[in-house]
């Protein structure tokens, strides 16, 4: 970590200011994981991360293919504004047509992408689990680091394996 | 990979600084061990507060061992300050970027503190004389560093328990009761500028 630390003199002052205080903080909107005093249904917990996984997947896949937002928007014939919302707004549900075009440009399976984007439902627990894990692992930092690349690769692998499974059926 | 660095804590009745260590990535076992050390001290304090007809701290029931599973996800990281093998404070961070609600910074990435607590023996209301002072300050300092390192620009956010509002108000902006939740908690943010003031003690 970079050295962003206060001087000893300032720390003494701050530490004295802390004396008598009860220092605590509590998170309110966990995306994932266990929370004391809460008991949500798995499906309810999963919905937001699944949609988050879609945003992240589009963003990472685009970056992995070294496409700018403008380039992808142009190639997929999607409005740049819409692509921005897809990557940035986890509550936005894009039109199925948009999902089709992005899937084909990014070489991702369409049925799974429709589920992740909120356009279709699926009782496929494996896909949900993979999406939740991907979302949980991946939205850490702006840079696509090794962990994120691994997460992307693992998730794409699950999507592709599912596609193969569907075709076999 | 977890790393340690020196960080000092303050003795309660003097200006003496005591060397401790900041651990930037704790394991699940670390959290369980911290809980096992903290729980008996907290229990004794609660008994005393009950006998003295005084109120209990709002986080009296916290159990860090139950938060350990959050560490299965890269989206969470727990830091701690250790002195002679005993955990003096813990902080769980969400590395999923939150969005700033501060005027002029709305939408910018912000580091969200999921949980923060100092060991019960460092809280005057629980033990009379705290063992160390400044654990909360050191954890906020570590959060500020992490926020910068991870590209959040030094911005930090958290929801405070009411008992801690006054502490956070010293260094962060109180954005009031959070209307998006019903627990009656206030939402605080530290801007990049406030972070520098917090660390440097003056306006840059």
């Amino acid at each position: 970590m970079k050295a962003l630390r206060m001087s000893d003199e300032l720390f003494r002052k701050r530490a004295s200011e802390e004396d008598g205080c009860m220092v605590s903080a509590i998170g309110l909107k966990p995306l994932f994981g266990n929370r004391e005093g809460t008991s949500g249904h798995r499906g309810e917990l999963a919905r937001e991360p699944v949609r988050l996984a879609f945003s992240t997947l589009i963003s990472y896949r685009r970056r992995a293919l070294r496409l700018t937002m403008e380039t992808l928007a142009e190639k997929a014939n999607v409005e740049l504004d819409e692509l921005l919302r897809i990557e940035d707004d986890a509550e936005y549900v894009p039109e199925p047509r948009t999902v089709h075009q992005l899937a084909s440009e990014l070489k991702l399976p369409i049925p799974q992408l429709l589920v992740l984007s909120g356009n279709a439902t699926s009782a496929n627990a494996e896909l949900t689990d993979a999406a939740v894990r991907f979302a949980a692992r991946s939205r850490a930092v702006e840079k696509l680091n090794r962990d994120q690349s691994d997460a992307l690769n693992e998730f794409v692998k699950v999507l592709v394996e599912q596609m193969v499974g569907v075709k076999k059926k | 990979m977890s790393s340690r660095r020196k960080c000092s804590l303050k003795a309660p009745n003097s200006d003496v600084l005591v060397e401790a260590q900041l651990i930037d990535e704790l394991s699940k076992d670390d959290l369980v061990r911290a809980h096992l050390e903290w729980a008996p001290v907290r229990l004794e304090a609660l008994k005393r507060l009950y006998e003295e007809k005084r109120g209990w701290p709002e986080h009296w029931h916290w159990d860090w061992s139950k938060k350990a599973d959050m560490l299965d996800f890269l989206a969470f990281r727990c830091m701690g300050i250790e002195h002679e093998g005993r955990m003096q404070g813990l902080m769980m961070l969400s590395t999923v970027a939150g969005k700033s609600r501060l005027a002029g910074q709305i939408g910018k990435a912000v580091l969200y503190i999921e949980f923060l607590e100092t060991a019960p023996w460092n809280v005057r209301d629980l033990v009379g004389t705290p063992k160390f002072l400044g654990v909360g300050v050191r954890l906020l300092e570590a959060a500020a560093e992490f926020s910068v390192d991870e590209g959040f620009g030094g911005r930090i956010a958290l929801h405070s328990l009411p008992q801690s509002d006054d502490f956070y108000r010293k260094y962060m902006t109180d954005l009031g009761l959070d209307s998006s939740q019903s627990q009656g908690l206030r939402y605080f943010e530290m801007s990049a500028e406030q972070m520098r003031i917090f660390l440097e003690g003056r306006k840059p």
Side-chain angles (χ1 to χ4, degrees), chain A residues 1-36 52 88-89 132-133 135-143 145 147-148, chain B residues 5 8 10 15 17 57 61-63 67 69 73-75 95-97 99 112 114-117 123-124 133-138 141 145 148-150 152 159 161 163-164 167-168 170-171 180-181 185 197-201:
Chain A
M1 287 194 288
K2 290 174 189 168
L4 268 174
R5 290 154 210 168
M6 60 185 74
S7 66
D8 285 351
E9 183 189 2
L10 181 61
F11 174 68
R12 286 188 180 95
K13 178 173 177 282
R14 297 268 186 262
S16 298
E17 290 169 351
E18 185 179 327
D19 191 9
C21 294
M22 196 83 76
V23 184
S24 56
I26 182 169
L28 290 175
K29 287 187 170 178
L31 287 175
F32 325 98
N34 301 323
R35 176 59 45 95
E36 289 170 61
L52 194 57
D88 194 49
D89 182 355
V132 169
R133 287 193 173 277
R137 289 181 61 184
S138 55
R139 280 183 73 89
V141 290
E142 296 301 313
K143 293 170 285 189
N145 62 27
D147 285 334
Q148 291 169 319
Chain B
R5 71 161 169 84
S8 53
K10 185 180 173 299
D15 272 348
L17 296 182
H61 58 296
W62 280 13
D63 178 345
K67 308 180 198 312
D69 284 347
F73 297 99
L74 287 177
T95 58
V96 178
K99 288 187 177 175
Y112 188 73
E114 286 279 345
F115 291 100
L116 190 154
E117 186 183 6
V123 180
R124 190 174 289 280
L133 297 179
V135 176
V137 168
R138 283 298 190 211
E141 181 186 54
E145 282 193 42
V148 170
D149 284 350
E150 294 296 299
F152 300 119
H159 283 88
L161 289 173
Q163 64 191 7
S164 306
F167 173 72
Y168 294 117
K170 296 177 201 288
Y171 315 116
S180 67
Q181 47 84 28
L185 301 180
I197 295 170
F198 173 65
L199 295 177
E200 295 170 13

Side-chain angles (χ1 to χ4, degrees), chain A residues 66-168:
Chain A
R66 298 181 182 277
L67 296 171
T68 63
M69 287 188 111
E70 289 82 358
T71 313
L72 176 60
E74 192 181 330
K75 284 188 168 205
N77 194 20
V78 172
E79 289 295 323
L80 183 57
D81 282 357
E82 187 170 22
L83 185 56
L84 271 167
R85 286 197 72 185
I86 286 170
E87 290 196 11
D88 194 49
D89 182 355
E91 291 178 2
Y92 176 65
V93 178
E95 292 294 321
R97 167 195 165 276
T98 306
V99 178
H100 273 262
Q101 285 166 285
L102 288 175
S104 99
E105 200 56 47
L106 296 173
K107 298 177 179 56
L108 293 168
I110 292 169
Q112 282 76 11
L113 234 56
L114 285 170
V115 171
L116 296 176
S117 64
N119 276 287
T121 54
S122 167
N124 186 330
E126 189 189 357
L127 175 62
T128 305
D129 280 350
V132 169
R133 287 193 173 277
F134 175 64
R137 289 181 61 184
S138 55
R139 280 183 73 89
V141 290
E142 296 301 313
K143 293 170 285 189
L144 203 60
N145 62 27
R146 186 169 178 174
D147 285 334
Q148 291 169 319
S149 295
D150 290 347
L152 172 64
N153 292 336
E154 279 176 33
F155 189 41
V156 170
K157 191 176 166 196
V158 171
L159 294 179
V160 171
E161 282 172 355
Q162 291 217 335
M163 193 62 188
V164 172
V166 168
K167 280 181 179 168
K168 281 182 181 168

